[in-house]
Amino acid sequence: MIPPGLGLGAGPVAGAGGGGRGVIPGPAGPLTALAHGIGSQHDLPISPFYAFAGAFAALFVSFLALGLLWSSSRFRGDRSGLALPAALERIADAPATRTALRGLGLAAALAVLLSLLLGPDDPARNPAPGAVYVLLWVGLVPASLLLGPVWRLLNPLRTLYRLYRRLPRARPRHAHAPLPARLGQWPAAAGLFGFTWLELAAPDPASTTTLLTALAVYTAVHLALAARFGERWFADADAFEAYSALLARLSPLGRRSDGRLVLRNPFHGLDATPERPGLVATVCVLLGSTAYDGYSDNPSWINTLQTSPLGRTPTATLGLLAAIALVATLYCLCAAATRLVCGPHPGPLTAFAHSLVPISLGYLVAHYFSLLVTEGPRTVIMALGTDNAPEPLPPLGPGGLAALQVIAVVTGHVLGVIAAHDRSVRLFPPARAVTGQLPLLALMITFTIGGIGLLLN
């Protein structure tokens, strides 16, 4: 349970959606089990002045230092990395290892399905909502950072597709249709939006009926499209594979261009992020939805949801869309300003989209850390059916949590500045490389103000 001292209200699995947080007073109970949220100012003992001053100082110092000391590109993308021992790579790539991981992913999916079909329609007694909203959505963050794009190996939809392909009648009589290049990651961006809508705006996101319907639709759509386009569809269009792969760009484990498993500087992996259609949309959905989830705790927004003539769900949907659109608009204006300062560039939107990935990571860590470390173990305990197990306690007090959240947001922006600077000195002449980053610096400052403002609420 999340301690009442953190001031977190009912979260999406309470059946009230993201906007319901903060409505239910009193101590945390079963309804607050999956509350997301960042504590408000009176909950987190940190001075707004020091938070903003420290963030601005970190951004300006890093920007000036990079401009003076970093005159040429140092990141080499997927050409870099120290190859791991061949024996370790053989174990990682062994068919038995991959089969075991696929089996683990399928078994976990079946366990969630059985919990939804046979378990009680109560998130306080059914582990399925926690498995979806905590272990999957939030747990993929540390898993992808440490191990790389793990969902590609665990994805039960890939496993179901492979099992289906083994059936004699399922063998295609002709080659799969090629994926249109312009499609890119747009389906993944749409899937991420659908999931965040389910979590933050749907009428009853924790009910077994809602989750069963969502999972059935998602499974049917992706298996049908995979039957047409082949297994490559999952890598390009599955929301959770795209989410995991994007975060894995900052993993110290990666694949070099020659296929070797390597240890690398995470910046090299980030630099290798493919500039594809839909990349900007994917990152903007991550940033915008996390920002909306933080703002949904605000009393004025809660009042808007409760009094809107449109109803709670349409209003929450518009709020979520507005948050994503705001992030996308700011980034597009930044790209236009960069092009105006530095001259024409063939891909002004996607050239610096990778620099938003560490910012997204900072927001995710700041926003969901306390949720993962408290509700993750609680979900596992519930799934194992352990009786009289002690409730997990947060490892950090309010002061430690506040420090972690601010550090995560600021660090994400500083890493974004570094990634953007390295790309700028590669793309633009030296005389314009630094001035061309001023729009990006302004964007980072804007996002920092917004991120810390959400922390202080």
Side-chain angles (χ1 to χ4, degrees), residues 39 43 47 52 75 95 131 147 213 246 289 325 372 385 402 440:
D43 299 317
S47 166
F52 284 114
F75 302 147
L147 303 174
T213 302
L246 200 58
S289 61
L372 179 62
L440 284 166

Side-chain angles (χ1 to χ4, degrees), residues 24 41 44 71 83 111 122 129 133-134 189 210 245 255 320 331 366 369 381 429 435 443 453 455-456:
I24 302 175
Q41 182 176 342
L44 300 181
S71 58
D122 179 1
Y133 293 119
V134 180
T210 300
R255 293 282 179 177
L320 178 61
Y331 178 76
F369 170 79
I381 290 172
T435 56
L443 180 68
L455 289 177
L456 303 175

Side-chain angles (χ1 to χ4, degrees), residues 23-47:
V23 178
I24 302 175
L31 291 179
T32 65
L34 296 183
H36 291 183
I38 299 168
S40 56
Q41 182 176 342
H42 64 275
D43 299 317
L44 300 181
I46 188 168
S47 166

Side-chain angles (χ1 to χ4, degrees), residues 276-358:
R276 307 182 57 209
L279 173 63
V280 174
T282 301
V283 180
C284 288
V285 169
L286 282 177
L287 273 172
S289 61
T290 307
Y292 172 79
D293 198 359
Y295 182 70
S296 63
D297 279 344
N298 190 287
S300 64
W301 181 247
I302 293 173
N303 183 64
T304 299
L305 291 174
Q306 292 174 335
T307 59
S308 172
L310 298 176
R312 196 204 66 84
T313 296
T315 305
T317 302
L318 291 176
L320 178 61
L321 285 170
I324 295 171
L326 177 61
V327 171
T329 300
L330 290 174
Y331 178 76
C332 290
L333 289 175
C334 171
T338 300
R339 186 172 184 176
L340 184 64
V341 172
C342 298
H345 185 270
L349 282 178
T350 56
F352 294 95
H354 71 300
S355 66
L356 298 183
V357 176

Side-chain angles (χ1 to χ4, degrees), residues 142-417:
S144 301
L145 285 177
L146 293 175
L147 303 174
V150 291
W151 192 246
R152 189 175 300 167
L153 296 175
L154 295 171
N155 191 349
L157 296 184
R158 276 186 182 264
T159 306
L160 289 175
Y161 174 74
R162 290 190 174 195
L163 293 175
Y164 167 75
R165 286 289 306 275
R166 291 185 179 183
L167 298 176
R169 295 181 180 180
R171 294 171 184 171
R173 299 178 182 177
H174 51 79
H176 290 110
L179 277 170
R182 64 180 181 276
L183 195 63
Q185 288 188 323
W186 280 106
L192 283 174
F193 173 78
F195 179 82
T196 55
W197 178 88
L198 177 70
E199 180 191 17
L200 302 172
D204 197 4
S207 75
T208 55
T209 301
T210 300
L211 280 173
L212 279 171
T213 302
L215 292 175
V217 171
Y218 191 83
T219 299
V221 168
H222 279 279
L223 290 181
L225 290 169
R228 173 172 174 77
F229 294 110
E231 191 171 346
R232 183 188 170 189
W233 169 261
F234 298 111
D236 292 338
D238 181 83
F240 298 100
E241 283 206 16
Y243 173 56
S244 176
L246 200 58
L247 295 172
R249 291 292 169 184
L250 287 166
S251 172
L253 283 177
R255 293 282 179 177
R256 212 162 51 191
S257 55
D258 60 2
R260 290 298 305 273
L261 185 65
V262 297
L263 280 176
R264 65 188 180 187
N265 180 337
F267 277 113
H268 292 298
L270 183 63
D271 185 66
T273 304
E275 298 180 27
R276 307 182 57 209
L279 173 63
V280 174
T282 301
V283 180
C284 288
V285 169
L286 282 177
L287 273 172
S289 61
T290 307
Y292 172 79
D293 198 359
Y295 182 70
S296 63
D297 279 344
N298 190 287
S300 64
W301 181 247
I302 293 173
N303 183 64
T304 299
L305 291 174
Q306 292 174 335
T307 59
S308 172
L310 298 176
R312 196 204 66 84
T313 296
T315 305
T317 302
L318 291 176
L320 178 61
L321 285 170
I324 295 171
L326 177 61
V327 171
T329 300
L330 290 174
Y331 178 76
C332 290
L333 289 175
C334 171
T338 300
R339 186 172 184 176
L340 184 64
V341 172
C342 298
H345 185 270
L349 282 178
T350 56
F352 294 95
H354 71 300
S355 66
L356 298 183
V357 176
I359 298 175
S360 301
L361 174 61
Y363 277 42
L364 289 167
V365 171
H367 196 67
Y368 295 124
F369 170 79
S370 61
L371 176 72
L372 179 62
V373 298
T374 55
E375 297 310 316
R378 182 176 179 272
T379 299
V380 174
I381 290 172
M382 196 188 312
L384 296 176
T386 305
D387 294 327
N388 301 320
E391 293 288 355
L393 297 176
L396 297 175
L401 179 60
L404 173 68
Q405 291 175 328
V406 173
I407 290 172
V409 170
V410 174
T411 301
H413 286 83
V414 171
L415 297 181
V417 168

